[in-house]
Amino acid sequence: MGPNRIREADGAAPPRAADAPARHWGWWGIVFVVAFVASIVAGSLLKVGESLYLPDASVAQLRGFYATSAVAVLVQSALQILSAVALYRFGWRLRAALRTEGTRAGAVLGWGTAITAGSLLASVVCGLVLLLVAARAGDTTVAALGRAALLLGGAAHLLGAGLLITAASAVARGSHRRPRWVFGYGRVVGPLVAASALSILVPPLVRPEPAFRLLAAVWLVGMGVGVLRRAFDEVGQDVPA
């Protein structure tokens, strides 16, 4: 009879890292992915004229897009604010569930959460400011805001996501938590997602950013589902994989 069954025989429930109703925080990772994807779809459907591709956008294109697609910008911004809040809540609840307070991994996880959610929110703010000033601000200001939105919503956001995924996966895998495939996957994918921030120095690396976002989304959804299914626990416990 294992230690967990002895505890059950004594009338004490085995410890769980994500027991009900606390396991409901797993939804936040899924909400982030759904809201972010919805923001891209909404922006594409509601835009007027051609899509705006920030890495190659000229000042004239920035002015034209924000002058004609205000509804698209506002709806997309609202959905991305929701996704930033969801990601922040997910990261901090995950950090608490892993009990990493006071550790180096906990600090990395916390900083990763703050960077990935905060940079996404800051990128939205840049877009909203552009919506207000694009028609009358100088070329330098418009170009700077467009560049800031690109870097904050892309490289900085992915750097934070990579740190979050890498640190959480290392701690969870080291303590034999489930679902094991999520953390094995995260140990590989996390550094790749973080490395995509090199696009700041090597601009052509901006183009594969959607692929890095997809890699991160798979981890977030897998982690969220694992928590909701009560699989986020020690391997030795009688919890379904």
Side-chain angles (χ1 to χ4, degrees), residues 5-72:
R5 295 194 178 279
I6 292 174
R7 288 176 64 88
E8 291 173 0
D10 291 340
R16 295 181 183 275
D19 208 355
R23 70 179 186 277
H24 291 164
W25 63 266
W27 279 112
W28 288 116
I30 299 171
V31 168
F32 162 75
V33 173
V34 172
F36 191 85
V37 172
S39 75
I40 297 173
V41 174
S44 179
L45 292 176
L46 296 173
K47 67 178 174 58
V48 176
E50 296 183 357
S51 298
L52 180 69
Y53 182 59
L54 275 176
D56 297 334
S58 65
V59 170
Q61 288 173 322
L62 285 167
R63 291 188 194 279
F65 179 82
Y66 282 95
T68 60
S69 299
V71 173

Side-chain angles (χ1 to χ4, degrees), residues 79-238:
L79 288 168
Q80 290 191 0
I81 289 171
L82 172 60
S83 65
V85 171
L87 187 55
Y88 181 83
R89 290 183 64 88
F90 176 82
W92 282 101
R93 292 299 298 272
L94 176 59
R95 181 172 180 262
L98 288 171
R99 302 186 180 94
T100 59
E101 293 84 354
T103 66
R104 181 177 299 177
V108 173
L109 205 167
W111 276 107
T113 298
I115 292 170
T116 190
S119 60
L120 179 58
L121 186 60
S123 175
V124 172
V125 171
C126 288
L128 292 174
V129 172
L130 264 173
L131 183 62
L132 293 174
V133 307
R136 61 180 182 275
D139 288 357
T140 301
T141 300
V142 172
L145 285 169
R147 179 65 175 168
L150 172 66
L151 294 179
L152 289 167
H157 171 66
L158 289 170
L159 172 62
L163 293 175
L164 187 163
I165 292 169
T166 301
S169 297
V171 173
R173 191 171 174 83
S175 59
H176 308 295
R177 293 185 183 273
R178 296 178 177 177
R180 284 169 286 184
W181 76 266
V182 171
F183 305 120
Y185 171 84
R187 291 289 297 273
V188 176
V189 165
L192 290 176
V193 173
S196 68
L198 288 172
S199 62
I200 296 174
L201 302 175
V202 186
L205 290 179
V206 169
R207 294 189 179 278
E209 277 186 358
F212 291 115
R213 293 184 191 277
L214 178 60
L215 293 176
V218 170
W219 188 89
L220 288 163
V221 171
M223 183 69 240
V225 171
V227 171
L228 293 171
R229 292 183 62 227
R230 301 191 184 191
F232 183 59
D233 217 323
E234 302 295 335
V235 166
Q237 296 183 7
D238 295 327

